[in-house]
Amino acid sequence: MASNKPRTVAGQDRADPMPAGLSTVEAAARLTRDGPNLLPGATPKSAWAIVLGVLREPMFLMLLAAGGIYLLLGDKGEALFLLGFVFVVIGITLAQERKTQRALESLRDLSAPRALVIRDGREQRIAGRDVVVGDLLVLHEGDRIPADAQLVSGQVDVDESLLTGEAVPVSKLPDPVVHPAAATDKDHPAALFASTVVTKGVGQAVVVATGARTAVGGIGAALANTAEVDSGLQRASAKLIRNLTLIALALALSLVLLNWLWDGRTLLESLLSGIALAMAILPEEIPVILTVFLALGAWRLSKSKVLTRRVPAVEALGAITVLAVDKTGTLTQNRMQVAQFVAGEERFDADSAELPETFHTLVEFALLATPLDPFDPMEKAIQAFGHARLTGTEHVHDDRSPTRQYDLAPDILAMTRVFATTRPEVYTLATKGAPEAVADLCHLPAPERAAIAREVEAMAARGLRVLGVARGTWQAPTEGAPWPASQHDFDFVFLGLIGLIDPPRPEVPAAIAECRAAGVRIVMMTGDHPATARAIAAQVGLSERAEVVTGPEIAGMDDAKLRERLRGVDVCARLAPEHKLRLVRALQADGQVVAMTGDGVNDAPALKAADVGIAMGERGTDVAREAAALVLLDDSFASIVQAIRGGRRIFDNITKATRFVFAVHMPIIALALLPALLHWPVLLLPVHIVLLELLIDPSCSIVFEAEPAAADVMQRPPRPLTASPFTLNNIGFALLQGLGIAAVLLAGHALLQHYTDWPEADLRLAVFTALVLALFLLILANRDLRHAAAFNLRAENPWLARMFAAVTAMLAAVLLIPGLRDVMGFASVSLPPTIAALGLLLLCGLWLQGLRLAWGRRLV
C-alpha cells in the first residue's frame, strides 16, 4: 500500500503530497462509458466454425457416407439412427471445444498485462483492461504501459520501438499540467504510449486515452490474444493420425473390393463393411486427448497459483532436471528487515530496544541515501527502521529533496543522492551500495578495506545482505560549475555497514526436499554476496556443498570449463543478468532440461532461453512475464514444485489415455475385419462403432484427464524431454491388451456359432455386450498398471462412477428399448447370451491381469 507521506522526485525542489487518483466509483463509471482498455484482437472460434471443422474430419465424413448408404438400402431406421449420432458427436465435440476454449480464455485473462494505479489514495494492482481515462499510473522499470498517458512526475526512459522501430530508449520529462492532446503528439516530452516499455526510472502518469483510441490502436497494431502453438506431442500425434488414416483408407478399400468382387456381396454392403473398418482403425481421439489435457492441465495449474502463458510448456514440466531459482522472493519472503549495524569496532543488533547515539549518523545517512517512498524491499526496510528509531530527532529529513542523484552503474554498485545545504555552493552527499563499491568510493587504504571485507564475510555468513554507507561534502568550485561526471570524483567518509535479512519462506525446505526426491536439482542464481547465498542455501536445505561460483569467475571461464564447474556447484552468486543467460545455456548444453525463475527486465533473455521460464507474478515486471512460459501468481517456490507435480501428472494421464485408445481400437478392428474375411455374419456395423465412440471419447477426455497424480509421481527421476506416449513399449502393450480381448471375443463367437444354433442376433448380442463391458474393464486396467483392474475401482477419480453409470445406461437402452434394439440388430435379452457375455468378460479380465503381471511392470 502506498504511503500518504509527501512524495519526492529527483530533480524537483519541493515535495508534493501523493495524488489520490480516481475513486473506485468514478473509475467504474468511466469503464462503463468508454469500455474496456482492449485493442482489437482475435475473436474466439464460433460454434459454426467448430461444426465445420468437425465435419471435415475423416471419421465424420465416413459417418455421413454410411448414413447415405443405409438410405439407399432402404433401412431408414438405421440411417436416421446413424445420422442422429452425427449430431450427438458434434454436440460432444462442441462441448469439449468450448470447455477447452473457456480454459484458455481464463488463462489469457490472467496473463493479460496488469497496471499499478492509485485509486482512493492507495496503490492498487488491476488488470490492464480495467484502466480508464484519468487513472493515475505508477510506473517502474520493466512495466509495459497499459494506455496512452502523460508523465506528471518522475523521469523515465521508454522503449518505443513498437511504434517507431528505433531501439534506443526515449527519455521522458514530467509535465504536471495534463494535456489530452499528448495522446496524439508523439513529440510531446511527457507523452507515453500504450504497449511501450519503461526501461529505466520511476514516475507517475495520467491516462489520456485507452483501447482503440490509443496510438497503437490508431495505427492498427492490434494485439491479438496469445497465439497457441502446437506442442511437440501434438505435432507427433498429427503425423501419427495422418499415417493411420492412409492405412485405414487403404485397408478399407481393399476390404470393399474383396467383399464385392470375391465374396459376391452387393456394392453397398461392401461399402458399409469398408467404412466400418476405417472407422474402427482411426484413433481420432488422440488429437482430442492432447488438446484437452494440455489446456485443462494449464487451467488446473492456475488453481495452484501457477499461470501458464504458453500451453505447450505444460508438456516440458515433467522433464525438468534442473531448477535455477533466484534467492530473493522465491526462496525467501522478500520482506527485508534491518538486522545489524556495524560502525567501526561497534555492533548493534536491530532487535535491541534503543539505538545508541554512535549509530545515529549511520542510520541518518542511510535514510538520506534512500528514496522517501521506495520500491526496493531493502530500501523499505531502511526507511521503516529509521523512522521507527529516529522520528522526533534532528536525524530525520523527510522535508529534503535531492538536487541530483547518481544511480547504480555496472562499474559502480552504489548510488549517491546530493542535497543542498544552507550554503548555495556546498552540498551534502549520502551514499549506499555494495560494501566494496562504497569502500572504493571512500578511497580507503588496503588494510581498512580488508577489515571491512572480513566484517562483510562474517555478516554474510549469517545470511545477511550487507550494504555500505558513506557521507560526503562537495563544494562547487564556481557558481554554475558542472557536476562531476562520476561518483568517483567526490570525497566520501565511510560510516559503516547495514546488515539486512530476508527470512526464508517456511514452505521452502519441504519443497526442496520433494524436488530432490524427484531427481530435480536446485541451483541458486543470485546477485547477492557468496556468503549470504551460501547461508540461505544451508538454511533451506538446498545444498550441503560449500563451493560457490561467482559472476566474475564465470566471466573468466570458457564454455567447456563452465559446464564442468556447474556439475559440482549448486550456488551461483554475484551474478549479472548476462551471467544467468550463459548459465542456462551451459546447463542445457550439458544435457539438462532447465527451468528458471526471474523477475526483472534483464532476466527476460534467460527466461526465454530456458526450457521453462518462470516469472514472478507479484514482483515481476511485465517484460519478464511476457518472456516466461509460466507465471507464479504468489511468487512461492512451493508453487513451482506443484507445477512440476502437475506436469508429471498430465503426461502420465496422456500416456494412460493413449494406451487405452490403442487397446480399445484393436477388438473393434478385429470384429469389423475378420468376420468379413472368414465369411461370418457381420458383427459390427457403423452404428455399433458410433455407439462405442460415444463411450471412448468421454473416457479419454474426461475420465483419464481427471486421474489423480500417482503416489510416487515425485519419487521418480524426470522423464527424458524426448519421451512420448507413442513409444513402442507403451503402444505395444496397448496392442497386446486389445489383441487379447479381440482373440477372446472372436474365439467365443466361433465356439458359440459352432456349438449352438443361436441366430445371428443372439451371437451379436453376446459379443457386443462383452465388448462394451470390456471397454470399461480396459479403463480400469489402464488407470494404474501396478494393480489389478478390480483394485482400480477405488473412487479417487470422481468421473469413474459416472462413466460406469453411463456405460450401464447406454447398454441397457440398446438392449431393452425395442426400437433401438432392432436398429442395432440385437435379439431380445435372454439368459444364455447374457451368461455367454459374462463368461467372455471374465476371460478378458484374466487376459488383462496376466498381461499386467508379465509386462506391466516395464511401464510403471
Side-chain angles (χ1 to χ4, degrees):
M1 183 178 294
S3 168
N4 287 321
K5 298 173 185 174
R7 184 184 186 98
T8 60
V9 177
Q12 293 184 339
D13 297 326
R14 61 187 177 86
D16 297 323
M18 189 174 69
L22 297 176
S23 68
T24 302
V25 174
E26 175 62 20
R30 295 188 182 193
L31 185 63
T32 302
R33 181 192 69 193
D34 299 334
N37 178 38
L38 293 175
L39 295 170
T43 57
K45 190 187 293 184
S46 68
W48 179 241
I50 294 173
V51 171
L52 288 178
V54 170
L55 293 178
R56 283 196 294 267
E57 291 292 326
M59 171 65 73
F60 298 104
L61 292 175
M62 293 176 193
L63 284 175
L64 293 173
I69 292 171
Y70 273 119
L71 285 176
L72 291 175
L73 291 173
D75 295 330
K76 295 181 180 178
E78 286 84 346
L80 292 175
F81 185 78
L82 192 63
L83 295 174
F85 270 121
V86 172
F87 293 104
V88 172
V89 174
I90 287 174
I92 292 175
T93 305
L94 278 172
Q96 289 173 336
E97 285 272 359
R98 284 304 303 150
K99 186 176 182 181
T100 302
Q101 197 164 300
R102 282 194 299 271
L104 293 175
E105 287 168 0
S106 68
L107 293 175
R108 289 183 184 126
D109 289 342
L110 284 171
S111 64
R114 300 181 67 78
L116 186 63
V117 301
I118 297 176
R119 288 185 182 173
D120 299 324
R122 61 188 181 90
E123 290 184 356
Q124 300 181 40
R125 183 77 63 177
I126 64 172
R129 60 176 293 144
D130 294 332
V131 171
V132 299
V133 172
D135 258 328
L136 186 60
L137 303 173
V138 181
L139 302 173
H140 294 97
E141 177 182 320
D143 287 349
R144 187 171 291 280
I145 299 172
D148 285 2
Q150 180 181 316
L151 190 68
V152 294
S153 67
Q155 184 172 345
V156 296
D157 290 353
V158 181
D159 178 0
E160 295 184 344
S161 57
L162 177 71
L163 293 172
T164 65
E166 297 293 333
V168 178
V170 180
S171 295
K172 301 291 183 176
L173 300 175
D175 183 350
V177 179
V178 178
H179 306 282
T184 57
D185 185 0
K186 293 182 175 59
D187 296 324
H188 195 287
L192 304 172
F193 301 101
S195 300
T196 59
V197 178
V198 178
T199 60
K200 182 181 178 183
V202 177
Q204 295 180 344
V206 174
V207 175
V208 295
T210 60
R213 294 172 290 279
T214 62
V216 172
I219 64 174
L223 297 180
N225 290 329
T226 304
E228 299 298 335
V229 297
D230 289 341
S231 70
L233 284 181
Q234 288 171 321
R235 291 192 295 272
S237 73
K239 182 178 180 181
L240 178 67
I241 296 302
R242 283 196 303 270
N243 293 337
L244 289 177
T245 299
L246 294 176
I247 293 172
L249 292 176
L251 290 177
L253 180 60
S254 300
L255 183 62
V256 169
L257 295 175
L258 187 66
N259 283 339
W260 182 36
L261 300 177
W262 181 53
D263 202 29
R265 300 188 185 186
T266 67
L267 177 60
L268 293 181
E269 289 176 330
S270 301
L271 284 173
L272 278 178
S273 297
I275 289 172
L277 176 62
M279 291 169 63
I281 293 174
L282 283 178
E284 78 287 345
E285 301 87 1
I286 297 295
V288 174
I289 290 171
L290 297 177
T291 301
V292 172
F293 279 42
L294 291 177
L296 293 186
W299 177 78
R300 288 181 188 276
L301 289 179
S302 72
K303 300 302 180 183
S304 299
K305 304 295 185 182
V306 180
L307 169 64
T308 307
R309 295 194 70 256
R310 287 187 283 278
V311 171
V314 174
E315 182 183 317
L317 278 170
I320 291 170
T321 60
V322 173
L323 184 53
V325 297
D326 189 17
K327 175 182 73 66
T328 304
T330 306
L331 300 178
T332 63
Q333 298 179 23
N334 196 27
R335 294 177 182 173
M336 301 296 295
Q337 57 191 44
V338 175
Q340 188 179 52
F341 293 95
V342 175
E345 299 297 324
E346 298 190 47
R347 292 169 181 76
F348 172 74
D349 290 332
D351 55 1
S352 301
E354 186 176 346
L355 182 69
E357 184 70 30
T358 308
F359 296 94
H360 282 197
T361 301
L362 172 58
V363 177
E364 174 186 1
F365 275 83
L367 282 173
L368 284 172
T370 302
L372 189 61
D373 190 10
F375 179 71
D376 182 82
M378 289 196 299
E379 293 184 329
K380 287 183 177 181
I382 292 171
Q383 283 284 357
F385 181 88
H387 285 94
R389 299 300 182 94
L390 295 181
T391 296
T393 72
E394 72 277 11
H395 299 290
V396 177
H397 308 283
D398 286 349
D399 57 339
R400 297 180 68 179
S401 298
T403 302
R404 190 173 182 82
Q405 178 169 306
Y406 292 83
D407 292 324
L408 290 168
D411 57 332
I412 305 177
L413 297 177
M415 64 175 294
T416 298
R417 304 180 88 214
V418 183
F419 297 87
T421 66
T422 54
R423 296 172 57 189
E425 73 281 5
V426 178
Y427 296 87
T428 296
L429 313 174
T431 297
K432 74 175 189 305
E436 60 269 27
V438 176
D440 184 54
L441 291 176
C442 294
H443 307 294
L444 296 177
E448 291 187 34
R449 292 193 192 192
I452 291 171
R454 286 193 298 270
E455 193 64 56
V456 169
E457 285 284 348
M459 296 173 72
R462 293 178 47 202
L464 302 182
R465 188 163 184 177
V466 187
L467 296 176
V469 180
R471 66 179 297 180
T473 301
W474 183 70
Q475 183 171 350
T478 59
E479 185 177 352
W483 288 91
S486 169
Q487 299 173 69
H488 272 297
D489 298 327
F490 296 111
D491 291 321
F492 293 96
V493 176
F494 194 83
L495 294 178
L497 302 171
I498 302 177
L500 300 102
I501 189 168
D502 183 8
R505 289 177 178 265
E507 73 274 11
V508 165
I512 286 179
E514 190 172 4
C515 276
R516 185 172 287 113
V520 179
R521 177 183 165 207
I522 312 296
V523 175
M524 180 193 293
M525 295 185 182
T526 179
D528 275 354
H529 190 280
T532 304
R534 188 185 298 115
I536 294 297
Q539 289 178 34
V540 300
L542 185 147
S543 176
E544 297 178 354
R545 295 191 278 203
E547 189 176 0
V548 177
V549 65
T550 65
E553 290 176 318
I554 291 169
M557 298 181 195
D558 60 25
D559 291 343
K561 179 66 175 176
L562 180 59
R563 288 197 299 271
E564 181 182 349
R565 184 74 181 277
L566 283 177
R567 292 171 192 156
V569 175
D570 297 324
V571 179
C572 307
R574 281 288 189 250
L575 297 182
E578 60 269 19
H579 296 145
K580 294 184 179 181
L581 175 59
R582 191 167 173 221
L583 286 169
V584 167
R585 287 177 171 165
L587 288 166
Q588 290 173 323
D590 204 32
Q592 305 297 327
V593 180
V594 182
M596 181 200 158
T597 67
D599 58 2
V601 175
N602 292 329
D603 288 331
L607 288 171
K608 191 171 184 180
D611 296 284
V612 181
I614 305 172
M616 302 296 107
E618 292 183 348
R619 60 186 169 89
T621 62
D622 284 343
V623 173
R625 286 164 57 97
E626 290 175 12
L630 303 179
V631 177
L632 298 185
L633 300 180
D634 59 358
D635 288 9
S636 171
F637 181 81
S639 295
I640 302 176
V641 180
Q642 287 297 321
I644 295 174
R645 176 188 291 272
R648 291 187 174 193
R649 170 193 162 274
I650 291 165
F651 187 85
D652 281 356
N653 288 348
I654 290 174
T655 302
K656 294 174 185 177
T658 301
R659 192 164 57 237
F660 167 78
V661 166
F662 279 91
V664 82
H665 273 267
M666 289 311 299
I668 298 176
I669 294 170
L671 293 178
L673 176 62
L674 290 181
L677 297 178
L678 299 175
H679 304 283
W680 291 354
V682 176
L683 285 177
L684 288 186
L685 296 171
V687 288
H688 300 127
I689 296 175
V690 170
L691 197 63
L692 291 168
E693 289 294 337
L694 291 181
L695 297 177
I696 295 171
D697 278 347
S699 300
C700 299
S701 59
I702 297 176
V703 177
F704 282 106
E705 194 282 327
E707 275 292 293
D712 67 340
V713 72
M714 293 299 281
Q715 277 79 52
R716 311 176 204 152
R719 63 175 175 83
L721 189 60
T722 55
S724 167
F726 310 122
T727 61
L728 181 60
N729 201 25
N730 192 52
I731 300 303
F733 182 78
L735 295 179
L736 283 177
Q737 284 183 319
L739 285 171
I741 292 175
V744 169
L745 296 180
L746 287 169
H749 178 271
L751 291 173
L752 291 173
Q753 185 175 258
H754 183 74
Y755 290 106
T756 69
D757 56 354
W758 292 358
E760 181 182 331
D762 277 330
L763 293 172
R764 184 180 290 123
L765 170 65
V767 173
F768 186 81
T769 302
L771 176 61
V772 170
L773 295 177
L775 180 150
F776 187 74
L777 203 59
L778 276 172
I779 295 174
L780 296 177
N782 285 288
R783 286 190 67 204
D784 187 346
L785 294 179
R786 292 168 300 184
H787 303 291
F791 183 85
N792 288 335
L793 277 169
R794 62 193 190 281
E796 294 174 358
N797 188 324
W799 285 98
L800 195 61
R802 301 172 197 176
M803 184 65 192
F804 181 71
V807 170
T808 304
M810 188 209 73
L811 189 59
V814 297
L815 295 180
L816 300 177
I817 299 176
L820 290 177
R821 188 172 62 231
D822 293 341
V823 168
M824 303 296 290
F826 295 150
S828 298
V829 177
S830 59
L831 188 58
T834 303
I835 294 175
L838 294 177
L840 293 175
L841 182 66
L842 177 61
L843 292 174
C844 290
L846 292 174
W847 165 253
L848 293 177
Q849 176 63 8
L851 186 62
R852 183 187 70 82
L853 293 174
W855 191 341
R857 292 290 179 183
R858 302 182 191 178
L859 299 173
V860 176

